[in-house]
Amino acid sequence: MSTAGPALTWRLLRDLRLTELAEAGDGWQQLSHRAGTDRGRVDRAMTARLRETQAGESAEAALGRLRRLSLNFQYLHTECGLVRSTLDALAADLAEPQRRLRGALRDAEERGFTVHEDGSVAYPAAPADSPVPGVGDTTAPGGTARGSLPLDPRRLADAARHPLPFSSANPHAARAQDIADRIADAVTTAASIDATFARTLDGLRAAEDLDITGKTRKDVARDTADVRSAVGHHLVAAIPVDKSPADRLAWWEGLTDEQRREYLDIAPDLIGDVDGIPAAVRDEANRRYLPLLIEEMEEEGGQESKIEALRMIQDRLGEPSEPPMFLLDVDDKGNGRAIVSYGDPDTSRNVSAYVPGLGTRLDADFVTDTMKRAQDTAIGARRLDPSSAAIVWLGYEAPNAATVLSTGNAAAGAPAYRAFMEGLDATNKNADPHLTAIGHSYGSLTVGTAARRSGGIPGVDEVILLGSPGVGVDRAEDLGVGKEHVFVGSAENDPVTHLPTPVEFALGAVMTAGPAGALQASRVTDHLYFGEDPAAAGFGARRFEVDDGPRMVVDLGGFDAHSQYFTPELDRQSANNISRIVVGRADQITREAYR
């Protein structure tokens, strides 16, 4: 079946063996697998061995030929995989119109109707339902019904204006028309599917004298996009998005290797952000998607700061990293999304996920500063227990200056954070992983909002609140882990931790220099803008020691005291305490008195 073959008829559709398309797809998949295996042999055995044992011009020339051979195998691997995916989707799409056609043909056979080559349906004479007055013969003659899809509105109008012919009184006429319409609908739908997939398959033809160039690689990207447009609905529909992360993990593990590879090759963006998919798979998917996303954004224009950040992330992914770097999500929506882990969160016993706050967006500062906080936490934790990973979670729209005094961003981000942590708990391979939720600044409100739901944050054992303006609850015990597992780091010179309540703002509370020159609020209670001060005794958390940080007035420190909790070079005590909590050694933290 193709645009070059015979016109599609109901007989061709009826007799089409869809299993042959599936078998053909399997053949292409075997070829794709062989090409991938051969590429691995070229890269790991031949190229690597040659580099280790040979040098000079001849060796370089041989390495050049091996690189070309490797690229050819990669091209075959990808393109053959695309053919296989297209054939599988073609078979799946044709199954429904074929089913409808066969049902219509069965109905015709059961009623004794005859289906002609053109799809019209002949029906026999029968006693008339409503004989015409004055006519003695009450037998309505037979006739032929022809499919009329789409149904022409003019035909309906004519039927309303003119008396029905006598043959329409035949009770078989309406049934025959219904069958003819169903046949026409099935054949028309199948022909449209066939034409679409014929164009897609035709686009996968390789040029003669194939040479892998930059243009060829762009062609591969275009071919992938074309196949994605044809088969993407199958891939999307298969993902159990309405299920729990544990159910999604079971779904993924139940797929064949070929089916998993299909997602990675054709639609990496569909699984790169799915909670419950293993971290290594999400990382590979997002690494594949990242250059495509950058290219799309460059074509759209006007997103320079995001593009710069994505290129910086791409560069870092290509460099050695300690701990190793995993890209668990990336997206350009809103101010940008990125979830980065230092260390494998699926194999590590101890995993923390830090939510940043005010002004965090996908830009250069995110890569150089915000990501470094997670890396510092991972490095510190791994000194105490090598089986540790730390994540920065920018999976929500962090507030800007105009929205920071609203709970809206936290309320919108909390469900996503809960789902992410539930996914970490599902994919972690340890029997009882130790998970820590960390919220900094407004991010502590997001964590608090996620934790105050019944049962707390799924899988989470500890909650750390840093530089917090309040978390939406007045007691640590309301965060779902027990108050002895809630920890607070709150620098005295951090103005965010002194943020007045809305009422105090309305009454004109201001930030003023205290006796020691530090910035303080003219507050009269232990309440902050978003609830009880987590560093106050009444909240009930365990306050750990941090550096007071630079004083804004005397030392012109700005908001520096708000931004150094994670950084051992600036606040060794805080960074060490965070690491101890993350690895489950909270009994070793150094404590600080409540406010």
Side-chain angles (χ1 to χ4, degrees):
M1 293 173 61
S2 72
T3 53
L8 181 64
T9 66
W10 65 265
R11 289 188 184 276
L12 283 174
L13 179 58
R14 180 197 63 185
D15 299 335
L16 180 64
R17 293 181 59 193
L18 298 180
T19 55
E20 292 182 352
L21 289 174
E23 290 167 0
D26 290 342
W28 284 98
Q29 180 58 34
Q30 291 174 12
L31 185 57
S32 175
H33 179 72
R34 282 188 56 186
T37 301
D38 290 342
R39 186 199 182 197
R41 290 173 179 166
V42 170
D43 292 345
R44 289 190 299 270
M46 301 172 69
T47 300
R49 184 63 177 163
L50 183 59
R51 286 187 185 280
E52 293 172 358
T53 60
Q54 303 294 324
E57 293 183 4
S58 297
E60 287 300 319
L63 286 171
R65 289 192 290 273
L66 286 174
R67 281 194 294 271
R68 179 176 177 181
L69 180 60
S70 175
L71 288 172
N72 274 278
F73 279 134
Q74 176 61 26
Y75 177 84
L76 282 172
H77 169 72
T78 301
E79 293 288 305
C80 292
L82 293 176
V83 174
R84 182 257 185 173
S85 297
T86 304
L87 290 173
D88 282 355
L90 173 60
D93 277 5
L94 287 175
E96 177 58 21
Q98 185 184 66
R99 183 193 64 79
R100 297 202 306 267
L101 170 68
R102 288 175 173 176
L105 294 176
R106 281 195 302 272
D107 287 351
E109 182 178 9
E110 290 171 358
R111 296 179 182 280
F113 298 168
T114 301
V115 179
H116 298 303
E117 292 296 326
D118 63 356
S120 60
V121 179
Y123 54 91
D129 282 341
S130 301
V132 177
V135 178
D137 189 358
T138 61
T139 299
T144 300
R146 290 177 171 78
S148 54
L149 292 176
L151 194 60
D152 189 342
R154 291 173 298 182
R155 175 182 165 191
L156 295 175
D158 288 342
R161 287 194 300 267
H162 302 291
L164 291 172
F166 182 65
S167 61
S168 68
N170 189 323
H172 295 315
R175 300 186 183 99
Q177 186 62 58
D178 173 67
I179 292 172
D181 286 346
R182 288 157 59 195
I183 292 172
D185 174 56
V187 173
T188 300
T189 300
S192 176
I193 293 170
D194 183 44
T196 297
F197 279 89
R199 288 191 297 270
T200 301
L201 287 168
D202 191 61
L204 295 176
R205 295 177 186 270
E208 295 182 5
D209 300 323
L210 178 63
D211 186 20
I212 304 300
T213 63
K215 181 177 182 297
T216 307
R217 286 189 287 273
K218 287 186 177 180
D219 287 343
V220 171
R222 183 204 62 217
D223 290 345
T224 302
D226 289 345
V227 172
R228 163 71 180 273
S229 67
V231 310
H233 58 290
H234 288 288
L235 301 178
V236 172
I239 301 174
V241 293
D242 57 340
K243 301 292 185 179
S244 70
D247 290 331
R248 294 176 202 144
L249 175 62
W251 164 77
W252 179 259
E253 291 179 338
L255 299 178
T256 65
D257 289 342
E258 290 77 11
Q259 289 172 322
R260 295 181 196 140
R261 182 52 50 187
E262 187 173 25
Y263 277 98
L264 288 167
D265 288 344
I266 297 176
D269 57 307
L270 293 182
I271 57 170
D273 65 345
V274 176
D275 299 317
I277 298 295
V281 176
R282 291 179 67 164
D283 178 61
E284 181 179 354
N286 286 310
R287 286 173 187 253
R288 287 170 170 263
Y289 176 54
L290 182 56
L292 302 177
L293 176 61
I294 292 173
E295 185 176 342
E296 290 174 4
M297 293 171 65
E298 286 179 334
E299 290 179 356
E300 293 173 2
Q303 304 184 74
E304 287 75 13
S305 63
K306 292 182 193 174
I307 293 173
E308 179 187 14
L310 292 176
R311 289 200 176 280
M312 292 172 69
I313 291 174
Q314 188 175 42
D315 290 342
R316 296 201 174 197
L317 289 169
E319 300 169 353
S321 172
E322 183 56 37
M325 182 176 166
F326 291 75
L327 185 60
L328 303 182
D329 190 19
V330 63
D331 202 301
D332 66 333
K333 64 183 176 184
N335 287 327
R337 305 285 188 269
I339 303 175
V340 178
S341 178
Y342 288 94
D344 187 343
D346 287 351
T347 60
S348 299
R349 284 190 299 271
N350 310 295
V351 184
S352 66
Y354 142 57
V355 183
L358 170 64
T360 309
R361 55 192 299 132
L362 191 58
D363 57 12
D365 286 343
F366 174 81
V367 180
T368 59
D369 184 26
T370 311
M371 283 172 48
K372 183 179 182 300
R373 296 176 185 178
Q375 187 174 22
D376 284 339
T377 299
I379 292 172
R382 285 162 76 95
R383 288 197 185 103
L384 301 175
D385 185 345
S387 185
S388 299
I391 298 166
V392 54
W393 185 86
L394 184 59
Y396 81 126
E397 190 81 351
N400 55 33
T403 61
V404 71
L405 295 181
S406 164
T407 60
N409 295 75
Y417 185 68
R418 283 176 57 87
F420 177 75
M421 297 304 285
E422 186 177 1
L424 288 183
D425 192 41
T427 58
N428 192 283
K429 297 176 183 178
N430 293 277
D432 185 20
H434 185 251
L435 303 186
T436 302
I438 304 177
H440 174 240
S441 187
Y442 187 94
S444 67
L445 177 63
T446 304
V447 169
T449 304
R452 70 190 187 206
R453 289 185 56 182
S454 177
I457 302 173
V460 166
D461 302 284
E462 323 285 353
V463 173
I464 301 177
L465 310 171
L466 301 169
S468 176
V471 297
V473 298
D474 290 336
R475 298 289 181 268
E477 62 196 37
D478 295 330
L479 296 180
V481 292
K483 65 180 183 179
E484 68 277 8
H485 294 284
V486 179
F487 302 86
V488 176
S490 189
E492 283 305 306
N493 294 331
D494 179 352
V496 175
T497 68
H498 299 282
L499 194 64
T501 68
V503 172
E504 289 170 337
F505 263 128
L507 293 176
V510 294
M511 305 298 283
T512 60
L519 199 69
Q520 298 176 345
S522 56
R523 292 168 41 231
V524 296
T525 69
D526 285 333
H527 276 68
L528 300 179
Y529 198 87
F530 293 116
E532 180 83 3
D533 183 353
F539 188 78
R542 299 166 70 181
R543 187 182 184 192
F544 58 84
E545 188 176 0
V546 303
D547 188 89
D548 286 343
R551 292 173 293 182
M552 284 189 65
V553 175
V554 176
D555 296 340
L556 299 178
F559 273 64
D560 289 354
H562 183 60
S563 305
Q564 62 184 37
Y565 294 100
F566 298 90
T567 310
E569 296 87 355
L570 299 175
D571 191 344
R572 172 67 61 180
Q573 200 65 265
S574 176
N576 286 345
N577 282 324
I578 293 170
S579 297
R580 291 165 185 150
I581 298 166
V582 165
V583 301
R585 300 186 187 181
D587 58 318
Q588 299 176 7
I589 64 172
T590 56
R591 298 290 296 273
E592 186 164 354
Y594 293 117
R595 285 181 177 161

